[in-house]
């Protein structure tokens, strides 16, 4: 291998991400140059690979709080998730026409099945054995990013703010990066002051689950189901009354808190049309996102949204209505495909880990200090 090829290889990374909604594995092949504020990255190829239906059903059940699972079943699930991640990585490289030897490392988030940063002791748990991914792909793999931050007293989430800051910050205006995944979370990017970030509450996880239950569709394409209903003010008030929303940052959450049983308990046997519930869930997301931004960075002039929720035009319109002082737009307007920002971020985290650089921000997670994140599984 020539020196030029070695230099190119050292800058190619592959990120793998499956979020709270468990709607698929996002895979992104990325070329990086520079670091910090001079960081440049190029998405060479991205694709979302669907989960096997039976496997996804298991993931959703676990994420919603199911706890009657044997150790053998968890061990098997850990291996099956890793196999699916490895297949996604290899398929992406084949589609891109890139030999695996040119990829320096894979950054794999895994699949979260529990996130309990307030337990005693606190923990977060992502399945998808990095050993299996490294072995199947023949590429060094970095995984298990969140637990070191939790061990240092942090929330373990969100982990994208440092990546967002490098690529989306501006010296001219206060900005916020908004990830509309299963859970919504912000990265606050002020002109002056520290980068901050936190979860704001449910986004697609609740809306997708309710839509699938009542329409058979995995998600509400374009927000059409929600648009066919009316907001139920009584139900919305009950949902907003959950004490979690009033917690100050740093904070994080997941499907183990905001799931369909949580919703059903607040419906109190009231008869609400399914479309009206969908409309109310969408309003809950828009309202809690807007409230969180107004409380933490009210002078925000630009909200850069990514994640599956960007495709929900009704949700984006409600966010814009709640935030008239800011431009609400997709990260696509700034050169980042909104579908792959998180996968690209975990490719970047793998790069930071191999370079021995910390990947967390204590002002975001609440950790006692900056830490190098993740475990390295050599090729």
């Amino acid at each position: 291998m020539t020196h030029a090829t070695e230099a190119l290889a050292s800058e190619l990374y592959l990120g793998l991400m499956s979020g709270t909604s468990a709607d698929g594995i996002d895979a992104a092949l990325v070329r990086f140059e520079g670091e910090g504020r001079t960081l440049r990255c190029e998405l060479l190829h991205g694709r979302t690979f669907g989960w096997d239906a039976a496997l996804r059903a298991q993931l959703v059940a676990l994420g919603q709080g199911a706890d009657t699972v044997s150790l053998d079943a968890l061990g098997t699930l850990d291996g099956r998730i890793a196999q699916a991640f490895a297949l996604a990585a290899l398929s992406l490289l084949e589609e891109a026409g890139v030999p695996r030897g040119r990829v320096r490392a894979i950054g794999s988030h895994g699949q979260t099945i529990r996130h309990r940063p307030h337990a005693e002791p606190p923990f977060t748990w992502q399945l998808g054995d990095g050993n299996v991914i490294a072995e199947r792909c023949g590429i060094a793999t970095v995984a298990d990013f969140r637990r070191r931050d939790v061990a240092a007293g942090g929330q373990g989430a969100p982990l994208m703010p440092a990546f967002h800051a490098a690529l989306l910050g501006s010296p001219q205006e206060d900005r916020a990066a908004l990830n509309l995944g299963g859970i919504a979370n912000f990265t606050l990017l002020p002109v002056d002051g520290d980068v901050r970030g936190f979860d704001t509450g449910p986004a697609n996880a609740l809306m997708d689950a309710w839509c699938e239950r009542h329409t058979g569709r995995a998600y509400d394409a374009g927000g059409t189901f929600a648009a066919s209903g009316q907001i139920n003010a009584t139900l919305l008030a009950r949902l907003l009354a959950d004490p979690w929303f009033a917690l100050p940052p740093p904070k994080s959450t997941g499907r183990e808190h905001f799931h369909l049983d949580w919703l059903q308990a607040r419906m109190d046997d009231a008869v609400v049309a399914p479309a009206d519930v969908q409309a109310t869930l969408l309003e809950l997301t828009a309202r809690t996102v807007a409230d969180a931004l107004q409380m933490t960075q009210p002078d925000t002039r630009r909200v850069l949204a990514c994640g599956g929720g960007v495709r929900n035009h009704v949700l984006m319109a409600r966010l814009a209505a709640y935030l008239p002082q800011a431009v609400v737009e997709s990260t696509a307007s700034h050169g980042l495909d909104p579908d792959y920002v998180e996968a690209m971020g975990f490719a970047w985290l793998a790069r930071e880990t191999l370079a021995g650089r910390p990947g967390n921000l204590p002002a975001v997670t609440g950790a006692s200090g900056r830490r190098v994140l993740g475990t390295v599984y050599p090729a």
Side-chain angles (χ1 to χ4, degrees):
M1 181 182 288
T2 67
H3 290 299
T5 306
E6 287 176 354
L8 178 61
S10 69
E11 294 303 311
L12 292 186
Y13 289 79
L14 196 155
L16 298 170
M17 173 70 191
S18 179
T20 310
S21 292
D23 51 2
I25 300 169
D26 294 333
L29 180 64
V30 190
R31 176 185 286 119
F32 291 108
E33 292 180 14
E35 59 185 84
R37 290 285 186 176
T38 66
L39 177 68
R40 289 188 294 166
C41 71
E42 178 187 2
L43 177 66
L44 301 181
H45 192 55
R47 186 179 162 194
T48 299
F49 297 86
W51 287 105
D52 169 81
L55 181 55
R56 181 178 184 270
Q58 284 183 278
L59 298 179
V60 171
L62 276 173
Q64 293 192 151
D67 54 10
T68 55
V69 180
S70 71
L71 291 177
D72 282 348
L74 278 176
T76 300
L77 193 60
D78 190 30
R80 290 188 65 197
I81 290 170
Q83 290 172 354
F85 271 60
L87 180 60
L90 292 173
S91 298
L92 188 79
L93 291 176
E94 183 177 1
E95 289 179 8
V98 174
R100 67 182 75 181
R102 285 181 56 188
V103 178
R104 175 78 186 279
I106 293 170
S108 176
H109 171 265
Q111 180 65 53
T112 300
I113 60 167
R114 279 293 187 280
H115 185 65
R116 302 289 196 198
H118 298 293
E120 186 51 52
F123 70 94
T124 186
W125 194 359
Q126 288 75 40
L127 296 185
D129 186 358
N131 293 287
V132 174
I133 299 171
E135 193 68 28
R136 290 290 183 96
C137 295
I139 301 170
T141 299
V142 187
D144 192 20
F145 288 99
R146 298 192 183 275
R147 292 201 292 178
R148 183 58 186 271
D149 184 85
V150 172
Q155 294 276 316
L159 293 183
M160 291 296 101
F163 182 62
H164 292 158
L167 296 174
L168 298 173
S170 167
Q172 281 82 43
E173 61 184 6
D174 289 351
R175 292 181 173 181
L178 171 63
N179 176 49
L180 292 168
I183 297 296
N185 52 69
F186 266 128
T187 298
L188 305 182
L189 302 167
V191 172
D192 297 309
D194 292 335
V195 173
R196 291 177 292 161
F198 54 93
D199 289 353
T200 66
N204 298 323
L206 272 180
M207 290 190 286
D208 289 354
W210 185 260
C211 182
E212 187 167 17
R213 173 181 286 185
H214 290 278
T215 71
R217 300 190 300 270
Y219 62 96
D220 184 12
T224 55
F225 184 34
S228 70
Q230 299 292 322
I231 298 165
N232 185 295
T234 301
L235 176 58
L236 179 61
R238 288 176 178 171
L239 300 178
L240 288 168
D242 188 298
W244 188 90
F245 294 117
L247 293 174
K251 62 179 183 177
S252 58
T253 189
R255 193 193 287 268
E256 66 282 346
H257 185 113
F258 293 108
H259 49 72
L260 288 183
D261 288 343
W262 174 87
L263 169 64
Q264 202 69 51
R266 283 150 183 81
M267 293 177 68
D268 195 27
D269 297 325
V271 178
V272 183
D276 292 350
V277 175
Q278 189 75 9
T280 305
L281 292 175
L282 186 148
E283 191 72 4
L284 174 70
T285 296
R287 170 75 177 273
T288 51
V289 165
D291 286 352
L293 188 59
Q294 297 287 17
M295 286 188 293
T296 55
Q297 190 172 279
D299 293 331
T300 299
R301 291 294 172 260
R302 195 172 303 273
V303 175
L304 306 173
C306 61
V310 173
R311 311 294 182 190
N312 188 322
H313 310 304
V314 179
L315 176 59
M316 291 292 284
R318 292 303 297 147
L319 286 168
Y322 270 120
L323 299 168
Q325 81 282 8
V327 174
V328 179
E329 61 187 0
S330 167
T331 56
S333 301
H334 298 261
L336 290 179
D337 188 320
D339 291 330
Y340 300 107
V341 171
E342 280 203 287
M344 293 170 71
F346 280 96
W348 173 80
L349 279 172
R351 184 178 187 245
E352 297 302 285
T353 299
L354 293 187
R357 293 190 291 260
N360 67 334
L361 292 177
V364 170
T365 67
S368 59
R370 301 209 66 188
R371 298 289 186 271
V372 177
L373 304 179
T375 301
V376 180
Y377 302 87

